[in-house]
Amino acid sequence: MSDLKNFLFTSESVSEGHPDKVSDRISDMVVDTYLSKDPFSRVACETLTTTNKVVLAGEVRGPEIEKKNIIEKVRDCIKDIGYDQNGFTWKEATKIESHLHSQSVDIAMGVDSSGNKDEGAGDQGIMFGYACDETDVLMPAPIHYSHKILRRMAEDRKLGKLKNIEPDSKSQVTFEYIDGKPSKVKSVVISSQHSADINQDQVRDLLRPYMLESIPKNFMKEFDEKEFYVNPTGNFVIGGPDGDCGLTGRKIIVDTYGGAAPHGGGAFSGKDPTKVDRSAAYAARYIAKNIVASKISDKCLIQLAYAIGVSKPLSIYVNLFDNDIDKNRFVTEKIKENFDLSPRGIRELLSLNKPIYEKTAAYGHFGRQPEKDGAFSWENTNKIDVFLK
């Protein structure tokens, strides 16, 4: 298939035990630790994970937090994910180093508000938000169901219902689109670390139910079992940071829309909400989701652009994919009239100065359910009326 409305599209997800996601989790834990002490803390934390070693580096401004407390929390993250293996464990065999230090005064000067100057963006950059009506959470189908498979596997693994499956897993779902809409699933790939006690046929039997329960039956009616691929390399016993080095911010497409929309290039994890890489991407998703939820468009893409130290976005771009120029102009004006997209305005609109980020580190930052503590506030659809006026 090759025309613009009929095609195959694939997205992947990775589990919380993937080495890059272990790093994201630890970096976001550092953000939450500082925000829980001071909601206006500044954090930019990068984490490296490898065989029995974790290294933290980056800049912070906020309360004094002892290094031993951060290291203890790192071990808690590793334990909760489920790692207690020879090559990577939450116990003392894994060495943890923290090289966090004070934030640059030059960056702080550009970001801080003073006199008549409003708080500026923490960096230059472009951020995208996207929503579409392919799923009930207004996310593209391939990435949504890729996440769901791995999230359900992790839940059962931690409850002891899924035995002999280890934390490091990946999934990949390919949909066939007809007339621009997801029609059916063409293939599914699940690769998962497992114990040496089971063979690949057993792994396949363990993981098949998670594919079948995660993807709606109407998409699976014509599914060919030959297109279900499990551990294609043939063996996956050595995994996690012992099998592959992990770094914060390397799974930005997994974190967002699975390649269905552009990405500005900035990672989210490890950054406090003054960093527009994170906060403006959340705001763009929030606006795009409310536009699609209002049903004035099937899908919506928004781009925001910022300069370091400047509070207002340099540009706002909207695409409703329907060639209706007047509607696009209408939506753009409504955004300008109703949303303060300065860093301070975004944080106040979405209540982002809270320790809510550790739970975002795996299974996507978007398409999640808003929570009572303020997590995933950017998934609320409480601004629909703005676009119906």
Side-chain angles (χ1 to χ4, degrees):
M1 292 189 173
S2 58
D3 69 70
L4 293 177
K5 287 187 174 283
N6 301 314
F7 54 89
L8 300 179
F9 194 85
T10 305
S11 294
E12 72 156 349
S13 181
V14 298
S15 71
E16 63 202 74
H18 185 283
D20 293 332
K21 282 288 146 202
V22 176
S23 297
D24 284 345
R25 167 78 177 267
I26 292 168
S27 291
D28 275 335
M29 173 276 293
V30 174
V31 174
D32 283 356
T33 298
Y34 276 87
L35 290 179
S36 67
K37 302 287 186 182
D38 178 358
F40 297 99
S41 296
R42 303 276 170 77
V43 181
C45 176
E46 311 291 346
T47 302
L48 176 148
T49 55
T50 187
T51 303
N52 282 334
K53 185 177 282 276
V54 178
V55 180
L56 284 68
E59 303 78 47
V60 296
R61 192 178 81 180
E64 289 291 328
I65 298 177
E66 290 188 29
K67 185 180 293 188
K68 67 178 183 180
N69 290 342
I70 293 291
I71 290 173
E72 183 178 333
K73 287 176 176 287
V74 171
R75 296 196 189 280
D76 290 342
C77 289
I78 298 169
K79 185 177 183 179
D80 181 69
I81 292 168
Y83 276 114
D84 188 13
Q85 301 170 2
N86 289 334
F88 196 70
T89 175
W90 60 273
K91 297 175 182 174
E92 294 298 321
T94 293
K95 305 304 178 187
I96 301 171
E97 303 174 15
S98 176
H99 300 281
L100 298 170
H101 59 84
S102 297
Q103 183 187 49
S104 159
V105 294
D106 290 343
I107 292 177
M109 181 172 60
V111 175
D112 291 344
S113 58
S114 61
N116 293 324
K117 174 186 174 298
D118 195 8
E119 183 179 306
D123 201 354
Q124 73 174 50
I126 56 175
M127 296 83 208
F128 288 94
Y130 181 74
C132 62
D133 64 358
E134 294 179 14
T135 60
D136 58 355
V137 292
L138 304 186
M139 285 288 286
I143 187 66
H144 177 67
Y145 297 117
S146 294
H147 285 322
K148 190 173 182 180
I149 289 168
L150 296 184
R151 190 167 62 244
R152 287 289 300 113
M153 285 170 54
E155 290 168 354
D156 280 2
R157 175 176 57 79
K158 290 180 176 182
L159 290 171
K161 295 180 180 178
L162 180 58
K163 300 184 185 302
N164 290 308
I165 296 298
E166 301 293 341
D168 189 1
S169 302
K170 301 177 77 171
S171 64
Q172 186 171 283
V173 179
T174 299
F175 268 83
E176 179 179 335
Y177 283 70
I178 303 294
D179 197 26
K181 298 292 184 181
S183 172
K184 60 183 178 181
V185 171
K186 289 291 287 184
S187 65
V188 176
V189 183
I190 307 178
S191 296
S192 185
Q193 184 186 18
H194 57 89
S195 75
D197 298 329
I198 58 174
N199 61 40
Q200 293 308 306
D201 288 338
Q202 291 171 306
V203 174
R204 186 184 184 88
D205 290 342
L206 285 171
L207 301 187
R208 183 187 290 104
Y210 294 94
M211 170 185 69
L212 296 176
E213 72 180 50
S214 298
I215 302 174
K217 289 182 174 59
N218 60 297
F219 290 133
M220 299 292 286
K221 287 179 181 178
E222 300 176 36
F223 186 72
D224 184 348
E225 180 72 16
K226 294 178 182 177
E227 296 295 324
F228 179 41
Y229 302 91
V230 175
N231 288 357
T233 62
N235 204 46
F236 192 177
V237 173
I238 300 172
D242 187 28
D244 191 10
C245 178
L247 292 170
T248 300
R250 278 205 302 204
K251 288 293 178 283
I252 58 177
I253 301 302
V254 171
D255 286 343
T256 52
Y257 307 103
H263 196 293
F268 302 158
S269 291
K271 297 174 181 176
D272 73 80
T274 66
K275 279 71 170 176
V276 283
D277 279 345
R278 179 166 224 159
S279 58
Y282 290 172
R285 161 65 179 174
Y286 176 60
I287 296 170
K289 186 174 183 181
N290 276 271
I291 289 168
V292 175
S294 74
K295 299 189 183 302
I296 66 170
S297 181
D298 291 344
K299 57 182 176 178
C300 175
L301 175 70
I302 292 176
Q303 183 205 62
L304 304 174
Y306 291 85
I308 188 167
V310 179
S311 63
K312 298 295 183 181
L314 305 183
S315 67
I316 301 173
Y317 165 82
V318 177
N319 188 349
L320 302 179
F321 301 93
D322 57 8
N323 298 314
D324 188 331
I325 296 174
D326 289 337
K327 190 198 295 184
N328 269 262
R329 287 174 177 164
F330 166 81
V331 167
T332 303
E333 287 306 310
K334 289 298 178 183
I335 293 171
K336 292 176 179 177
E337 292 170 6
N338 291 276
F339 297 90
D340 179 355
L341 294 174
S342 67
R344 183 200 301 273
I346 293 171
R347 290 204 320 281
E348 292 176 353
L349 173 68
L350 299 177
S351 301
L352 297 181
N353 286 100
K354 297 178 179 179
I356 55 174
Y357 298 104
E358 191 175 340
K359 64 186 72 177
T360 69
Y363 313 117
H365 292 245
F366 307 128
R368 310 284 290 273
Q369 291 300 317
E371 299 184 3
K372 291 181 179 179
D373 64 359
F376 306 106
S377 59
W378 49 92
E379 291 297 310
N380 282 306
T381 52
N382 52 2
K383 294 288 187 180
I384 294 174
D385 290 348
V386 167
F387 303 103
L388 295 178
K389 295 175 183 176

